[in-house]
Amino acid sequence: MRCTAVGGVGGSGCVCFFRDTFVARGPPNGGNGGGGGNVWFEVDENETSLNCVKQQLKARPGTNGQGKSMHGSSGKDLIVKVPKGTIVREAPPNPLLAKSNSGIELPNGTGFLDTLEKDMQQDMREREQDKNSWFVHYPRWEDRNDLTKVLVPQEFKAFKWELENPKPLRFDLTEHGQRALVARGGLGGFGNPHFISSTERQPHYALRGLAGQRRVLELELKTLADVGLVGMPNAGKSTFLGAVSNAHPKIAPYPFTTLNPYIGTVDFRDTFQMTVADIPGLIPGAHRNVGLGHSFLRHVERSRVLVYIVDVSRHEPWNDLLALQQELDLYHKGLSSRPSLVVANKADMGDQARQNFERWQQMTSIPIIPASAKYKKNILKVTHTIRQLLE
């Protein structure tokens, strides 16, 4: 999914002077503006999807400074909860909005010097206008303030340069409580006391607060689970997950029943736990995004152990295993070489299933365990074997 994160705008400094009964022209006492709030992503283990993330994320702005040296309050940070396994990266810019410098012709001939002089004058006007954009003025002092010798603080220039030249972001959030700063809030401006000098005792200007960072982000969720169930559509993965864990995925006798990954927890008597993810069915060509393709292959990457659920009652079920391993390797090289186990599901489906299993055992050295997820037969042996692979 895509979302836009915007840091809060910094509050502007205040232009104010001390006034009292017998003090007509007191010293400057304008307060500084408060900084804008930041936008954070924080991992919450209770979240399971990215539905909790809104498309527009905007932190609170800082308040402006006030008289009597009262500084503005900082904007409140926006903390967005995301699930484990969230990958945050900055979206590429829209090529249609990119400016092209092609077609620019340099002036030549007798009018070149005139054009150059006009460009220099235009540049000076833009610089003066840019200088004015940094400051707020005392009422009716916009034309009387001479800002040519006023220096903008270096940290403000550096922050504005970062806004115009942002570094691309990429975070991999995998631990509970882990935080990532995705949009910084703008800096609060200085009040007019900051600009007192030996030649300027009564500054009638203050520094304007800066806008916060604005980033367009792409969020991708890669499910974190100890065990990933991989299989063809309608092989019995959801039934197996419901038999071994506390999950209740949708079960139906047709392909692609599972359209979203399900995670279940398997509890053992000695308090050991492991998480099992039901990945939607894969078909040949899934590495090219055929079917549900990349949408769910990415969830397999985080699994420590792969469990292949194969319908042993099908004709030559070992070809299904080879096809699954090939799709995994084509998507991510070496993915099928992780610790794995084959569950010959639907082993109760008559003589054909029994004959296929006996023939399959003679053809391969991969551990194959016959089981019936529907009737929960041989399930304990499967879970204990998976635990041994994890430990």
Side-chain angles (χ1 to χ4, degrees):
M1 66 164 294
R2 280 199 175 196
C3 66
T4 303
V6 183
V9 180
S12 299
C14 178
V15 185
C16 186
F17 299 90
F18 177 74
R19 296 291 184 265
D20 204 353
T21 305
F22 300 104
V23 182
R25 295 175 60 83
N29 67 345
N32 300 335
N38 303 319
V39 180
W40 295 84
F41 282 168
E42 183 178 356
V43 178
D44 187 354
E45 59 186 5
N46 297 320
E47 297 290 345
T48 57
S49 69
L50 294 174
N51 295 332
C52 54
V53 182
K54 298 180 180 179
Q55 291 188 347
Q56 296 290 333
L57 307 172
K58 191 172 183 179
R60 300 291 297 176
T63 58
N64 298 330
Q66 301 182 24
K68 299 182 181 180
S69 298
M70 291 189 293
H71 302 316
S73 60
S74 298
K76 186 178 180 181
D77 290 350
L78 177 63
I79 301 176
V80 182
K81 304 291 186 180
V82 295
K84 283 184 178 182
T86 301
I87 294 178
V88 184
R89 56 176 172 264
E90 195 155 6
N94 190 343
L96 298 178
L97 300 179
K99 294 182 179 180
S100 174
N101 292 326
S102 59
I104 297 178
E105 298 180 358
L106 293 176
N108 51 22
T110 58
F112 175 71
L113 295 179
D114 295 336
T115 305
L116 182 61
E117 184 179 357
K118 290 180 181 179
D119 291 342
M120 292 176 64
Q121 293 176 357
Q122 178 68 19
D123 185 56
M124 292 178 63
R125 285 194 296 268
E126 290 179 355
R127 287 187 180 183
E128 183 179 355
Q129 185 178 3
D130 182 66
K131 195 69 174 286
N132 285 323
S133 67
W134 286 97
F135 296 93
V136 292
H137 300 271
Y138 197 71
R140 298 184 297 277
W141 274 73
E142 291 83 354
D143 299 329
R144 300 168 64 181
N145 284 330
D146 183 14
L147 302 177
T148 56
K149 297 182 180 180
V150 181
L151 298 178
V152 178
Q154 195 65 30
E155 60 266 29
F156 280 72
K157 289 185 177 180
F159 185 84
K160 193 168 185 179
W161 187 88
E162 288 183 10
L163 292 181
E164 297 172 353
N165 304 276
K167 294 182 179 179
L169 292 181
R170 182 177 175 84
F171 297 106
D172 192 356
L173 307 177
T174 58
E175 300 294 333
H176 176 67
Q178 183 180 355
R179 276 191 174 192
L181 177 62
V182 296
R184 289 179 58 190
L187 300 179
F190 292 131
N192 60 336
H194 180 82
F195 300 98
I196 295 177
S197 65
S198 59
T199 58
E200 179 64 89
R201 307 305 299 171
Q202 296 284 327
H204 287 71
Y205 48 85
L207 199 59
R208 191 185 305 275
L210 296 182
Q213 286 183 322
R214 183 182 186 275
R215 294 182 183 272
V216 180
L217 305 173
E218 285 184 348
L219 305 184
E220 180 182 352
L221 178 61
K222 291 187 177 181
T223 305
L224 287 175
D226 298 321
V227 182
L229 303 182
V230 184
M232 294 290 185
N234 206 29
K237 299 181 298 299
S238 299
T239 307
F240 178 82
L241 180 65
V244 301
S245 70
N246 55 359
H248 301 285
K250 181 180 179 181
I251 299 173
Y254 52 82
F256 294 110
T257 306
T258 303
L259 297 178
N260 294 293
Y262 281 89
I263 298 181
T265 303
V266 182
D267 297 316
F268 291 84
R269 292 184 178 180
D270 57 354
T271 70
F272 180 83
Q273 288 185 334
M274 66 180 182
T275 54
V276 182
D278 176 17
I279 310 301
L282 302 179
I283 61 176
H287 69 281
R288 300 192 304 269
N289 210 18
V290 176
L292 298 178
H294 294 171
S295 300
F296 301 109
L297 270 172
R298 61 172 179 259
H299 296 285
V300 186
E301 292 184 66
R302 302 294 183 92
S303 300
R304 295 166 53 192
V305 174
L306 301 180
V307 175
Y308 299 97
I309 308 294
V310 181
D311 183 359
V312 74
S313 64
R314 286 166 53 92
H315 178 65
E316 297 184 351
W318 44 87
N319 290 333
D320 292 346
L321 176 61
L322 295 177
L324 291 172
Q325 291 176 331
Q326 182 180 9
E327 290 299 325
L328 293 179
D329 284 334
L330 290 174
Y331 174 73
H332 190 285
K333 189 175 181 180
L335 189 57
S336 66
S337 61
R338 294 185 182 179
S340 58
L341 174 70
V342 178
V343 175
N345 194 29
K346 303 182 182 181
D348 57 320
M349 299 287 288
D351 295 336
Q352 180 67 31
R354 181 176 55 80
Q355 294 174 4
N356 286 339
F357 174 72
E358 293 176 353
R359 184 181 175 186
W360 196 358
Q361 276 189 316
Q362 299 174 358
M363 296 171 54
T364 181
S365 59
I366 301 177
I368 305 174
I369 301 178
S372 174
K374 182 177 181 180
Y375 298 105
K376 298 183 179 181
K377 292 183 178 180
N378 220 18
I379 294 299
L380 287 178
K381 183 178 180 180
V382 174
T383 55
H384 281 82
T385 305
I386 296 174
R387 178 177 175 176
Q388 292 175 2
L389 293 175
L390 288 172
E391 295 178 337

